[in-house]
Amino acid sequence: MKTNRKKNRFAKTAATPENAEHTLAATRDRILDTAERLFAGRGLEATSIRDITVAAEVNLGAINYHFGTKQKLIESVFNRRIEPLNRRRLALLGEAERKSGTKSPTVEILLEAMIRPTVEASFAAGKRNTSFMRLMARCHGEPNPEIEHLIRAQFQAMMARFAAAFARALPELSREDLFWRLNFTFGALIHALLISSKEDSLPGGLQKKWDADGLIQRLVAYAAAGMKSPA
């Protein structure tokens, strides 16, 4: 009888709303992690919902419950990465502008505010999490109109703020020059993260271990030279 009462108490504890909510959140995260990895490796079109359910060890009902459609799942994969990165970029930009007062922050400070969140996220918890970077690179090579629209919508407000800040710091640049140089900077950022994720891709004699701050410093120095070069 005592054993049964203990089991019943445990069952009641396990069935609390908090535990159920935690289980749902864990399942959702597992689906997103799996989808991101498969989309990065195989592509958006080539990855089926069945591929994701098998790899994530969930049933179709879980996909339908959390996302409804494959397109909504794809959007969620992008949104959960891009939204927090852009929020932090804008927070760092705002902090830099407050510290500068009436003056414009330096090009290097603006670049670090734009670059640091992505690099640190990729090196989170001491682990190079580059699945999303591979996915972004794949999307550039395999354009999907709906995803392009989604990414543009996510980046539009953030890029407008940074473009205005860079225009104040570099008034000699035309709007066209500024547009291309910012795009070159993002391209270098994505490419650098992809290279840093593959130690065997580095030539012999080069440092094999990377850290977030070291990569940020290299990217900022490189991008600043390009941003400040004569028009």
Side-chain angles (χ1 to χ4, degrees):
M1 290 295 292
K2 289 183 179 179
T3 302
N4 288 336
R5 283 198 295 270
K6 286 181 179 179
K7 285 183 178 179
N8 289 336
R9 284 199 299 271
F10 178 79
K12 289 178 182 177
T13 301
T16 61
E18 292 80 5
N19 285 342
E21 186 176 341
H22 176 76
T23 300
L24 286 172
T27 299
R28 188 176 190 275
D29 286 342
R30 188 164 75 253
I31 293 170
L32 288 169
D33 288 341
T34 303
E36 180 180 279
R37 175 171 52 82
L38 294 180
F39 288 151
R42 304 178 186 178
L44 299 175
E45 299 298 330
T47 302
S48 68
I49 288 294
R50 177 169 173 75
D51 293 333
I52 296 167
T53 57
V54 170
E57 298 181 341
V58 298
N59 57 36
L60 181 59
I63 301 283
N64 292 334
Y65 175 82
H66 289 286
F67 307 103
T69 65
K70 180 181 177 182
Q71 185 61 32
K72 290 295 183 183
L73 171 58
I74 292 171
E75 290 175 8
S76 296
V77 166
F78 281 88
N79 287 339
R80 76 159 178 164
R81 298 297 187 194
I82 294 174
E83 286 178 356
L85 290 180
N86 285 344
R87 280 198 302 270
R88 182 150 186 248
R89 285 186 175 113
L90 291 173
L92 290 175
L93 174 58
E95 181 182 352
E97 289 176 331
R98 284 191 295 273
K99 287 181 178 178
S100 296
T102 57
K103 296 181 180 180
S104 170
T106 66
V107 170
E108 286 80 4
I109 289 174
L110 293 176
L111 285 168
E112 182 169 344
M114 196 168 69
I115 289 170
R116 178 171 288 280
T118 303
V119 176
E120 288 187 341
S122 294
F123 281 73
K127 179 181 177 182
R128 295 174 198 169
N129 178 18
T130 56
S131 288
F132 188 68
M133 291 300 106
R134 289 197 298 273
L135 177 56
M136 289 290 285
R138 181 179 280 277
C139 286
H140 283 294
E142 301 171 9
N144 178 310
E146 292 180 331
I147 297 305
E148 287 180 341
H149 177 76
L150 171 68
I151 293 173
R152 275 199 304 271
Q154 286 279 11
F155 277 89
Q156 191 170 15
M158 183 273 295
M159 286 303 296
R161 284 275 284 113
F162 272 94
F166 278 108
R168 289 191 294 271
L170 298 165
E172 70 278 9
L173 288 185
S174 69
R175 199 174 161 197
E176 186 175 3
D177 280 334
L178 186 57
F179 169 83
W180 283 111
R181 293 181 190 198
L182 286 173
N183 275 277
F184 295 155
T185 298
F186 268 104
L189 169 61
I190 293 173
H191 191 63
L193 289 172
L194 289 173
I195 291 175
S196 70
S197 70
K198 303 173 183 176
E199 293 183 355
D200 57 355
S201 69
L202 299 175
L206 291 187
Q207 181 180 343
K208 297 297 183 181
K209 291 186 178 180
W210 296 68
D211 64 273
D213 284 331
L215 187 55
I216 290 166
Q217 290 170 14
R218 285 181 168 88
L219 280 165
V220 168
Y222 176 81
M227 293 293 292
K228 295 190 288 186
S229 66

